[in-house]
Structure formats: C-alpha cells, structure tokens
Amino acid sequence: MRASLQLARLLQLASPALPVGAYTYSQGLEWAVESGVIRDEATAGRWIADLMQHGIGCFEAPLIAALMVAWATGDTAEVALLNAEFLASRESAELRAETVQMGFSLRRLIRDLRDESLATVAGAIDPLPEVAFPTAWAGIAAAWLIDPEAALTAYLWSWAENQVMAALKAVPLGQAAGQRLLAGLGRKIPNAAVNAKNRPKSQWSNFMPAFAIACARHETQYSRLFRS
C-alpha cells in the first residue's frame, strides 16, 4: 500500500498537469529549430539526448539527488546553498526566469495542497527570496519518501517529455514521431538517473555552449511560441 502511494505521488510530481507552466518553455529548442539545427525527428532526438546526457544528467539531476539528501536530513543550509548554485548556473535571463517562475508556482502549490507532510518544506523555502524549481520539487519528493533513483527517473522523463512536446509543435513533428523519440529517450533515462545519483559534486558540469547560445538567442527571436 505504501509503495503504491509513493508511486502515485511520483506520478503526480511528473505529470504534465502539475500547475507550474512547464509546457510554455522549450529551453532553447525553439531557436535550434529556427536556426535549422533541429529540422526533423533525427536531429530533434539527437539534440534532446545530448542535452540530457551532457547537461541535465551531469548537473541538474545530480543537484536534485543532493537536494533530496539535504531535505531528508533536515539540512536547510545545504538546501539554500544548492538553490543558490542552481540559480547561478542559469546562463540566460530566460532560463533563470523560467526556474524562478516554476519554483514560485510550486511553492504556492505546496501551500495549496494542505498536506501536513510538506509543512517542513514550506517553512524552509518561504524565507528564500527566489526558489528554483528543482529545490521545491526535490523537497516534495523527499517529504513524500520517494526513492531518490525513482525520483530522478521521473524528473528526467518529465523533462524529456516536455522537450519532445516542444519539438512536436516547433519542428513540427507528428505524434508517432514523438512516441518514437520518447521510446528512445526512455531507454537512456535509467542509466542517466543512476549516474546522476552517484555523481560526486566535483564532477558536476553544465558546460553546454550550444545550449547556452540557443537560450540566449531565443531571447531576441522575432517569432516564437515558447517563453524560453
């Protein structure tokens, strides 16, 4: 029964219905389409997979794993430090605004859920001037006693799904192509989650020049569907 409840809670956290506005962001993918770097199913799959392997999987996911440890042990000072590190890692104004907006929405949702198990999380993030989305997300996952590896798997899946949905609209691609992309990405996610969980902080890296350029160029893109 408890395992089933944790699974249900994890599905809730990873659901597109989570009211944080993730669907409005492409994280530079829209500019990659505009510039011709992404032009079909194959190039979309390569862009998303590379970003997951060399970016999200090497920095954001390991940071979430560390955040879950800090939340589980009640180390609010470490939570605040990791929150500040993630905010500082955002290379463009849009990327920073994205995580702050989504973090704000998730902080409000924590209050609206009226779940006593989240009281400690709410109390710890309320004093922070800005809350990054991974900070609040990891706090909920830890409070709901979700296994860290399962949480990382769900987080990576949710991110990949959002990227594929952005590609469906921006390239555009058909629904079958989207499902093929998700199937391919899904095969890579388990290893990415394990590697992220075990990656020491000394090996965290978000060095992705093409991604940073795409995000910065999107800020001045004339015609666009997405906010980043």
Side-chain angles (χ1 to χ4, degrees), residues 6 15 19 35 41 49 52 58 63 75 85 90-91 102 111 120 126 132 134 156 160 163 173 186 193 202-203 220 224:
Q6 289 170 339
S15 171
S35 66
E41 180 181 341
M52 182 172 66
C58 289
L63 182 134
D75 192 346
E85 288 187 9
R90 303 299 82 191
E91 297 97 332
M102 290 174 62
R111 291 294 187 189
T120 300
D126 276 349
L156 289 167
Q163 286 284 287
L173 299 174
S202 60
Q203 294 180 18
T220 57
R224 59 186 189 174

Side-chain angles (χ1 to χ4, degrees), residues 11-96:
L11 291 172
Q12 182 178 357
L13 271 179
S15 171
L18 195 71
V20 295
Y23 69 93
T24 64
Y25 299 103
S26 79
Q27 298 192 346
L29 183 145
E30 188 174 24
W31 182 83
V33 173
E34 177 75 10
S35 66
V37 173
I38 296 176
R39 55 192 176 275
D40 53 23
E41 180 181 341
T43 50
R46 184 160 57 248
W47 175 275
I48 299 169
D50 284 351
L51 183 53
M52 182 172 66
Q53 179 181 352
H54 301 295
I56 306 301
C58 289
F59 183 77
E60 192 166 335
L63 182 134
I64 288 173
L67 277 166
M68 288 192 68
V69 172
W71 280 117
T73 57
D75 192 346
T76 54
E78 181 68 6
V79 168
L81 176 62
L82 291 169
N83 181 71
E85 288 187 9
F86 188 77
L87 290 173
S89 75
R90 303 299 82 191
E91 297 97 332
S92 71
E94 284 187 349
L95 272 182
R96 195 180 193 284

